[in-house]
Amino acid sequence: MTLERPERPAYDVVIVGGAIMGSAAAWFLTDLGFNGTILVIERDTSFANCATAHSTSCIRQQFSTALNVRISQFGADFIESMPDRMGTQDVPQLAIRNFGYLYLADSEGFAQELRQRQRIQTAEGAATRLLAPAEIAAEYPFYALGDIVLGSINTDREGYFDSMAVFDALRRQAQKRGAVYIQNEVVGMAAQAGRVESVTLASGEVIGCGAVVNATGPRAAQTAAMAGIAVPVEPRKRCSWIFRAETPLPRDLPLTIDPSGLHVRENGGGTYQAGGHFGDDRVEGYDDFAMDHGLWENEVWPRLARRIPQFEAIRLTHSWCGHYEMNVVDHNAILGPHPDIGNFLFMNGFSGHGLQQAPAMGRGVAEWQCYGGYQTLDLSAFHFDRLAGAAAPAEAAVI
Ligand SMILES: Cc1cc2nc3c(=O)[nH]c(=O)nc-3n(C[C@H](O)[C@H](O)[C@H](O)COP(=O)(O)OP(=O)(O)OC[C@H]3O[C@@H](n4cnc5c(N)ncnc54)[C@H](O)[C@@H]3O)c2cc1C
């Protein structure tokens, strides 16, 4: 049940934003036996415009840092074992549709980068394979590969998953275990002496907090500014198109990462999902979801037909525009406490790969809150203070 008003004047943890990240934090807090009160505040419980609802819904192990590989491996474990982990048959048993991501390199420089990434991934146990163009053609005869020098693919726990089912399970089970969800908007915070004392709601109430978690996706900077914090996360437009092929491909289409900036994947039943950005991806404010309808005709379709000639004959069925929460410094998560305002916790900056990271990030924030440190995966490389230094663990595999 979602309430309009909080039932108490103060909560031990106040989570701002109730989509996949906020719900992951809430559920993992309950799972670790946190014995305090949890309030999740969500401004739009239809979730119509959150990043969680606008995604490509895929998971991969093909990252450029070992930590991000491990985070997705935990994500895959979690996705495939929700009834066991949550101790209930009231959540679905999901499977990842393992068509894999196929990165295509059209230059020796990018091929070198893929080789380097494959070494990092396989050292972590990922099943990434490098394919010469002839090998790609043998497995996937539908690509035009004249310009391609190398491909990289992993079909083990990499592909589509039902991210809305994961989100729904986290949210409903967090609520069942006592986390309180309200529909309201946080519009201010009172911070003094190095801590956030309270949050102010659009309806006027002031709620005291032991800790506050910023899980507001593309609005992360707006929320952090309420506590006087500048966080380098910006909303960036990412469009998606669903189309039907006159002649469907003979096998599942991997999520193909084309060097032209386009990506396209299997969507089932002779339909496919394409995405990407072409040119300026900045938004005119947080509510700018306007679609540039010329993109399909001028940018997307030509690229599709060039890479997969069978996609000359396709029909667009629908499209939408969503926002990435882009960490414009190093394209990686910003997690954990602010160095000076220690009870302000970040869950931000996932730069287009947050769905698969939600289980690890939720667990990490909960561990920090319960134990003051990480017990499983050490996520301190994502702390805010690294952003000022030169040694940020930049993620290069951003789609
Ligand atoms: C086109 C697209 C494709 C993507 N594809 C993938 C993919 O294939 N795999 C993957 O892992 N990730 C993908 N992502 C990224 C992923 O969707 C996000 O990283 C993830 O959903 C972020 O979750 P979140 O909960 O942090 O943010 P959101 O889902 O945006 O949720 C933030 C919530 O905070 C609420 N909120 C904001 N401000 C306030 C406030 N002041 N008070 C109260 N509530 C507030 C909002 O209403 C919203 O519901 C994709 C994203 C897009 C846009």
Side-chain angles (χ1 to χ4, degrees), residues 60 62-65 68 101 103 110 113 117 236 238 257-258 261-263 276-277 281 324-327 329-333 349-353 356 393-399:
R60 60 185 154 121
Q62 292 188 74
F63 282 95
S64 70
T65 64
N68 279 337
Y101 283 49
Y103 284 82
F110 188 44
E113 169 83 34
R117 287 185 201 168
R236 292 295 169 88
R238 287 293 181 279
I257 315 298
D258 195 73
L262 174 85
H263 56 263
H277 76 95
D281 61 353
Y324 267 16
E325 72 289 29
M326 189 66 95
N327 164 352
V329 174
D330 59 28
H331 312 309
N332 247 332
F350 302 102
S351 304
H353 41 267
Q356 61 203 283
E395 177 51 61
V398 175
I399 294 167

Side-chain angles (χ1 to χ4, degrees), residues 78-94:
F78 187 87
I79 290 162
E80 295 193 321
S81 63
M82 288 203 307
D84 277 357
R85 281 181 187 274
M86 294 187 159
T88 172
Q89 296 304 312
D90 196 22
V91 295
Q93 174 62 53
L94 300 178

Side-chain angles (χ1 to χ4, degrees), residues 19 21 42-43 51-52 54 56-58 186 218 325 352-356:
M21 285 297 166
E42 170 54 52
R43 66 192 288 279
T52 299
H54 280 157
T56 310
S57 212
C58 283
V186 172
E325 72 289 29
H353 41 267
L355 296 171
Q356 61 203 283

Side-chain angles (χ1 to χ4, degrees), residues 124-144:
E124 297 305 323
T128 312
R129 293 181 295 138
L130 296 173
L131 299 178
E135 292 170 307
I136 302 173
E139 289 189 41
Y140 303 97
F142 41 77
Y143 290 117

Side-chain angles (χ1 to χ4, degrees), residues 88-358:
T88 172
Q89 296 304 312
D90 196 22
V91 295
Q93 174 62 53
L94 300 178
I96 295 168
R97 190 163 174 176
N98 290 303
F99 47 65
Y101 283 49
L102 174 60
Y103 284 82
L104 295 174
D106 65 350
S107 69
E108 194 39 49
F110 188 44
Q112 222 16 60
E113 169 83 34
L114 289 180
R115 289 184 193 104
Q116 167 66 13
R117 287 185 201 168
Q118 191 232 15
R119 280 193 286 274
I120 293 166
Q121 292 152 11
T122 52
E124 297 305 323
T128 312
R129 293 181 295 138
L130 296 173
L131 299 178
E135 292 170 307
I136 302 173
E139 289 189 41
Y140 303 97
F142 41 77
Y143 290 117
L145 296 166
D147 58 334
I148 297 303
V149 295
L150 193 71
S152 172
I153 191 164
N154 168 29
T155 51
D156 177 26
R157 301 199 303 165
E158 188 163 301
Y160 170 82
F161 71 104
D162 187 344
S163 56
M164 290 307 274
V166 175
F167 163 42
D168 189 57
L170 289 167
R171 181 168 52 102
R172 281 191 300 113
Q173 296 306 316
Q175 283 178 300
K176 269 197 182 156
R177 290 177 174 195
V180 174
Y181 277 60
I182 61 168
Q183 165 143 348
N184 218 309
E185 181 170 1
V186 172
V187 293
M189 291 186 195
Q192 58 179 348
R195 52 180 286 110
V196 179
E197 302 284 347
S198 62
V199 302
T200 303
L201 304 183
S203 53
E205 286 102 333
V206 175
I207 312 295
C209 57
V212 63
V213 178
N214 181 358
T216 55
R219 290 176 189 251
Q222 185 185 54
T223 307
M226 296 176 199
I229 296 167
V231 65
V233 176
E234 296 177 8
R236 292 295 169 88
K237 268 191 185 183
R238 287 293 181 279
C239 299
S240 302
W241 295 266
I242 305 285
F243 63 92
R244 181 171 291 283
E246 195 175 285
T247 313
L249 299 173
R251 59 174 297 185
D252 272 4
L253 176 65
L255 176 39
T256 307
I257 315 298
D258 195 73
S260 68
L262 174 85
H263 56 263
V264 56
R265 71 156 167 84
E266 181 64 43
N267 194 52
T271 69
Y272 302 87
Q273 179 170 340
H277 76 95
F278 310 94
D280 192 0
D281 61 353
R282 280 169 300 185
V283 301
E284 308 271 335
Y286 292 113
D287 295 314
D288 172 14
F289 293 97
M291 192 76 192
D292 175 352
H293 290 288
L295 286 177
W296 168 255
E297 201 76 25
N298 301 326
E299 308 287 351
V300 180
W301 194 354
R303 284 172 169 82
L304 287 168
R306 213 173 302 135
R307 184 60 63 208
I308 302 175
Q310 212 168 313
F311 283 168
E312 196 65 64
I314 54 180
R315 185 167 50 83
L316 180 63
T317 61
H318 56 285
S319 59
W320 64 88
C321 170
H323 291 175
Y324 267 16
E325 72 289 29
M326 189 66 95
N327 164 352
V328 294
V329 174
D330 59 28
H331 312 309
N332 247 332
I334 302 169
L335 196 84
H338 185 268
D340 302 321
I341 306 178
N343 72 336
F344 185 100
L345 303 177
F346 297 96
M347 268 189 116
N348 304 119
F350 302 102
S351 304
H353 41 267
L355 296 171
Q356 61 203 283
Q357 296 200 328

